[in-house]
């Protein structure tokens, strides 16, 4: 798809996901500037990602008012104008939420808003093999408090609605965008250098020479014990707004990841029960075969991934019952703290934006660090930089407005945010058993 702008050829790359395919790592790297093209300019018009644009898309599709929290954000028209005015050779939009928009409707959006701002529009997507996607998405839904059922129930629900039957969906994208649609398998050995960043740079920027600085991965798989903790904590917040639970879950996950020791990193991750893995193979074998034939040159990539999940499965489904991991005393203490924090969340406004801002600030710190600047944009002093402990923060985490200092903390020191309190408590809670 092209529409000559009359200037130097420009490509708009629209990265549409899927979920659970390294999108957060790609987006953070683009926002920080970890991908540097040697002979071309790159524009990434976002502080983190473009998922927020789905609000504008919904408003446009349904003719409904724009949500208030988006009124001050750049919408589809403004982003398209920014791309058109830029002298960049490549511009990138990235949002895994685009996965949920039907291809024909997305095509119409591209034609309406973006066709005239670039010479070529290239749609890039990654797909995670069926069983691995089901496992990862289930863990994600537990983390953000949006699902409370078993993995078997999650499997049955998505089998019924066809969410993980890939072939029909991706066939529509290819039919509409033709050669300007690229689908890559999210299988590490199939990625360039085993890196999703290297692979994305190769595909999105047409193999141009570039430097890719590995960006520390985010949204990593949690241990079974951590998921049991998240299941318990999110159970205390089910009356809260879904977006609050989402951002709180992400913040808790970030804090747990930072406090995780080397020994904890080796604790087993979530796996499928053998009977469920076999059911996944039976349910998705045909779809995997079509995907392999239509998109991956007949190589049995997704078919083999189903077999691999069967090999990695466990005789029984792992339990997320918190009592299998934490003592009654620890659960009681966590319940008390969760209730106190729930009261804080109800009294203060804009908590989702507050938790979300931590991720943006992390990206800004990484970006400044690449440029040799501190969090204020001032040059770092070599002495101060050399003395900074590895992994330390360059700025204190701001306290929620109106929060009172704890009894063990001087009045002038702001208390940690609610998510940090729970994460610190969880990190210090000894498991009742090593494994269920």
């Amino acid at each position: 798809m092209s529409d000559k702008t009359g200037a130097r050829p420009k490509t708009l790359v629209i990265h549409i996901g899927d979920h659970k395919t390294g999108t957060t790592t790609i987006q953070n790297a683009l926002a920080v500037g970890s991908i540097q093209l040697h002979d071309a300019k790159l524009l990434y018009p976002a502080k983190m990602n473009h998922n927020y644009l789905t609000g504008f898309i919904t408003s446009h599709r349904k003719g409904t008012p724009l949500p208030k929290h988006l009124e001050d954000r750049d919408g589809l028209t403004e982003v398209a104008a920014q791309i058109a005015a830029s002298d960049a050779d490549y511009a990138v939009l990235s949002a895994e939420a685009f996965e949920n928009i039907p291809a024909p409707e997305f095509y119409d959006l591209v034609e309406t808003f973006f066709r005239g701002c670039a010479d070529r529009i290239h749609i890039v997507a990654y797909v995670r093999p069926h069983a691995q996607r089901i496992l990862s998405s289930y863990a994600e839904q537990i983390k953000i408090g949006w699902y409370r059922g078993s993995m078997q129930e999650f499997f049955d629900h998505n089998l019924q609605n066809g969410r993980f039957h890939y072939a029909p969906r991706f066939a529509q994208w290819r039919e509409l965008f033709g050669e300007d649609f690229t689908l890559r398998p999210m299988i590490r050995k199939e990625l360039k250098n085993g890196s999703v960043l290297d692979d994305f740079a190769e595909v999105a920027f047409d193999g141009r020479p570039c430097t890719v600085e590995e960006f520390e991965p985010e949204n990593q798989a949690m241990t079974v014990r951590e998921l049991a903790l998240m299941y318990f904590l999110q159970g205390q917040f089910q009356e809260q707004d879904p977006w609050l639970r989402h951002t709180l879950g992400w913040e808790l996950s970030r804090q747990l990841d930072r406090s995780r020791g080397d020994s904890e990193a080796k604790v087993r991750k979530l796996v499928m029960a053998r009977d469920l893995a076999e059911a996944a193979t039976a349910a998705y074998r045909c779809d995997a075969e079509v995907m392999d034939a239509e998109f991956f040159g007949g190589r049995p990539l997704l078919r083999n991934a189903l077999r691999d999940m069967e090999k990695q499965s466990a005789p029984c489904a792992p339990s997320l019952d918190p009592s299998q991991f934490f003592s009654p005393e620890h659960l009681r203490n966590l319940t008390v703290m969760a209730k106190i924090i729930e009261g804080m969340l109800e009294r203060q406004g804009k908590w989702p934006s507050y938790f979300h801002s931590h991720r943006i600030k992390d990206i800004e710190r990484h970006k400044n660090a690449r440029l040799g600047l501190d969090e204020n944009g001032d040059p770092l002093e070599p002495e101060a930089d050399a003395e900074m402990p590895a992994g330390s923060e360059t700025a204190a985490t701001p306290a929620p407005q109106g929060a009172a200092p704890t009894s063990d903390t001087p009045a002038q020191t702001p208390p940690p945010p609610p998510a940090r309190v729970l994460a610190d408590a969880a990190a210090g809670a000894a498991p009742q058993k090593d494994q269920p």
Side-chain angles (χ1 to χ4, degrees), residues 39 43 55 63 95 106 142 144 170 248 254 257 274 291 305 392:
D39 60 355
L43 170 69
F106 197 90
I142 293 296
I144 64 177
F170 286 122
L248 178 61
R254 290 174 67 252
D257 186 63
R274 186 152 301 133
M291 288 288 292
S392 62

Side-chain angles (χ1 to χ4, degrees), residues 80-121:
Q82 186 177 352
I83 294 170
S86 171
D87 64 350
D89 302 287
Y90 292 89
V92 179
L93 303 181
S94 178
E96 64 271 28
F98 290 164
E99 168 193 343
N100 300 319
I101 302 175
E105 295 184 20
F106 197 90
Y107 181 85
D108 290 341
L109 288 166
V110 168
E111 290 290 294
T112 301
F113 293 98
F114 296 105
R115 183 180 178 96
C117 70
D119 300 274
R120 180 194 179 203
I121 296 178

Side-chain angles (χ1 to χ4, degrees), residues 51-339:
N51 285 318
Y52 78 93
L53 285 177
T54 57
F56 288 90
I57 293 172
T58 298
S59 177
H60 171 76
R61 288 164 57 195
K62 297 184 177 180
T64 55
L66 191 68
K68 289 186 178 298
H69 71 279
L70 294 177
E71 291 178 351
D72 295 329
R73 301 290 299 271
D74 286 343
L76 298 166
T77 301
E78 291 77 16
V79 171
Q82 186 177 352
I83 294 170
S86 171
D87 64 350
D89 302 287
Y90 292 89
V92 179
L93 303 181
S94 178
E96 64 271 28
F98 290 164
E99 168 193 343
N100 300 319
I101 302 175
E105 295 184 20
F106 197 90
Y107 181 85
D108 290 341
L109 288 166
V110 168
E111 290 290 294
T112 301
F113 293 98
F114 296 105
R115 183 180 178 96
C117 70
D119 300 274
R120 180 194 179 203
I121 296 178
H122 184 192
I123 308 296
V124 176
Y126 285 77
V127 61
R128 193 163 189 165
H130 301 80
Q132 288 79 356
R133 170 68 191 274
I134 293 168
L135 185 69
S136 184
S137 290
Y138 174 71
E140 179 76 7
Q141 294 288 304
I142 293 296
K143 181 182 80 174
I144 64 177
W146 285 11
Y147 194 78
R148 303 292 295 169
S150 68
M151 194 186 305
Q152 179 68 58
E153 292 168 332
F154 183 79
F155 173 86
D156 292 339
H157 173 74
N158 286 286
L159 181 60
Q160 183 177 12
N161 66 27
R163 180 183 180 191
F164 300 131
H165 279 92
Y166 298 139
R169 174 163 61 94
F170 286 122
Q172 280 195 320
W173 285 93
R174 186 174 60 181
E175 179 182 356
L176 290 167
F177 290 94
E179 294 182 355
D180 287 327
F181 172 69
T182 300
L183 180 66
R184 296 285 296 150
M186 187 58 185
I187 301 173
R188 188 165 298 279
K189 64 182 179 181
E190 295 295 323
L191 302 177
K192 181 179 180 181
N193 301 328
S195 163
V196 70
L197 285 182
D198 287 355
D199 197 83
F200 179 80
E202 177 77 11
V203 171
F205 308 127
D206 303 312
R208 285 181 179 272
C210 65
T211 299
V212 179
E213 299 175 10
E214 282 299 321
F215 193 90
E216 61 186 51
E218 192 174 347
N219 198 19
Q220 294 295 287
M222 305 181 78
T223 67
V224 176
R225 178 173 178 260
E226 289 169 340
L227 281 172
L229 171 67
M230 297 296 286
Y231 183 86
F232 176 78
L233 293 176
Q234 287 286 11
Q236 313 302 310
F237 303 121
Q238 286 301 295
E239 299 301 318
Q240 298 293 331
D241 178 77
W243 181 238
L244 173 56
R245 282 183 272 130
H246 183 287
T247 53
L248 178 61
W250 265 80
E251 182 65 11
L252 283 166
S253 177
R254 290 174 67 252
Q255 298 296 345
L256 285 169
D257 186 63
R258 291 181 176 185
S259 66
R260 187 183 299 138
D262 293 337
S263 60
E264 291 177 293
K266 299 178 181 179
V267 177
R268 68 184 176 96
K269 303 295 194 296
L270 189 67
V271 296
M272 276 189 176
R274 186 152 301 133
D275 59 348
L276 183 56
E278 292 171 352
T281 297
Y284 294 103
R285 179 191 293 112
C286 290
D287 191 70
E289 291 173 349
V290 172
M291 288 288 292
D292 288 335
E294 295 295 324
F295 292 97
F296 305 126
R299 300 169 61 207
L301 301 182
L302 300 193
R303 178 68 182 88
N304 287 347
L306 287 169
R307 183 189 61 194
D308 292 342
M309 181 59 76
E310 289 190 50
K311 292 179 180 179
Q312 298 162 6
S313 63
C316 300
S319 173
L320 296 184
D321 180 359
S323 66
Q324 298 291 318
F325 296 88
F326 303 97
S327 70
E329 180 182 2
H330 283 126
L331 291 177
R332 180 179 64 83
N333 292 340
L334 286 169
T335 300
V336 170
M337 284 189 288
K339 292 298 182 184

